[in-house]
Amino acid sequence: SSSHITECSNCGKEPSSPSVELKACGRCKQTKYCSVVCQTIHWKKGGHKHVCGHKRTSASTPELNEAGR
């Protein structure tokens, strides 16, 4: 599918083989990385820290609004 990320969000590297999967960000599960090193760099210097979780938060907002009524 077009939403399937096939390269590291930090360095752009593709997995070395089809059996090697990129690791997802533990928080948002949307951003993929080839290594912990790339994940750390992207979090600290690449701006992911400031955008991470927005998709998950917006998806849960309707549930919170309904629970408060």
Side-chain angles (χ1 to χ4, degrees), residues 2-3 6 11 13 15 22 30 38 40 48 52 55 61-64:
S2 61
S3 65
T6 59
C11 71
K13 181 179 168 183
L22 296 170
Q30 299 295 314
C38 273
T40 302
H48 186 63
C52 182
K55 290 181 181 178
T61 300
E63 296 169 4
L64 295 173

Side-chain angles (χ1 to χ4, degrees), residues 4-24:
H4 182 71
I5 298 171
T6 59
E7 61 185 38
C8 177
S9 293
N10 183 60
C11 71
K13 181 179 168 183
E14 293 184 7
S16 56
S17 73
S19 63
V20 176
E21 289 193 28
L22 296 170
K23 293 160 183 60

Side-chain angles (χ1 to χ4, degrees), residues 45-69:
K45 298 179 182 177
H48 186 63
K49 181 177 186 175
H50 302 291
V51 298
C52 182
H54 282 246
K55 290 181 181 178
R56 192 173 75 180
T57 301
S58 63
S60 65
T61 300
E63 296 169 4
L64 295 173
N65 290 340
E66 289 178 23
R69 290 180 181 171

Side-chain angles (χ1 to χ4, degrees), residues 22-56:
L22 296 170
K23 293 160 183 60
C25 169
R27 186 174 178 193
C28 70
K29 311 287 189 221
Q30 299 295 314
T31 308
K32 308 284 184 172
Y33 301 101
C34 66
S35 68
V36 173
V37 173
C38 273
Q39 182 177 9
T40 302
I41 292 169
H42 200 229
W43 182 260
K44 292 181 177 180
K45 298 179 182 177
H48 186 63
K49 181 177 186 175
H50 302 291
V51 298
C52 182
H54 282 246
K55 290 181 181 178
R56 192 173 75 180

